[in-house]
Amino acid sequence: MLETDGRWGVVMSRAPGRPFAAQMLERPHDAQAMLVDVVRLQLRIHAEAGQFLPRLRDRLRGAVARARQLSADEIGATLQLLETLSDGDRLCHGDYHPYNVMGTAEAPVIIDWLDATQGAPEADACRSYLLLLHAVPDVAATYLDAYVRLSGRAREAILAWLPVLAAARLVEQVPGEHDRLAALVRSAL
């Protein structure tokens, strides 16, 4: 980060290679193996401590409270659910999907770390699942299967985060997702 003319900014450089997602689309016969590579890389992220980063629970609490597509009762119930979920102290990317992994399996580069937090790996995996669910549902299911198998974490523990993450995603105002996200929240409450 640097300050220029009284304004703060993040200096970025272009990561080498192409996104895994683009490569997966071009070579569908390799897509499953590449998705497994994506999961393995995410598990390496989750193996690291997230010290000094903002707490995921705090970020989610603030986002859910601002989800205007939900009623006050739905927001309250979602916030109550959040308090029952494991906190965690691991490094969480916050926007992890195959478009944010560049390069090759031998030399991957993970980009877009602006949403990194300290939290539960199950929440970060569920966020990845949620992001894939809207765009490529078949890939989302395959991703979740691979994450559960390789991590040893329970599918139920990951999916328990889904209503909270769906509610939080509502504040991102992504066109075409509002109804589906609100339905995900309501179906779990």
Side-chain angles (χ1 to χ4, degrees), residues 23 26 31 38 55 62 81 104 110 143 164 174:
Q23 297 173 58
E26 288 173 2
V38 167
R55 299 207 55 83
L81 173 61
T104 65
I110 303 167
Y143 159 81
V164 173
V174 178

Side-chain angles (χ1 to χ4, degrees), residues 28 31-32 43 46-47 56 74 97 105 113 128 154 172 180 189:
Q32 183 135 0
L43 292 174
H46 294 161
L56 176 60
E74 290 167 335
H97 51 78
W113 285 90
S128 296
E172 295 176 37
R180 183 183 59 82
L189 300 179

Side-chain angles (χ1 to χ4, degrees), residues 55-110:
R55 299 207 55 83
L56 176 60
R57 180 180 302 279
D58 295 339
R59 187 171 283 174
L60 290 172
R61 192 179 293 119
V64 169
R66 294 189 316 274
R68 299 296 167 231
Q69 296 87 342
L70 302 175
S71 70
D73 288 343
E74 290 167 335
I75 289 171
T78 304
L79 290 172
Q80 284 181 332
L81 173 61
L82 174 60
E83 296 309 316
T84 69
L85 298 171
S86 61
D87 201 9
D89 65 353
R90 303 288 85 199
L91 175 59
C92 296
H93 184 277
D95 193 22
Y96 190 79
H97 51 78
Y99 274 108
N100 279 342
V101 181
M102 308 289 287
T104 65
E106 297 77 29
V109 176
I110 303 167

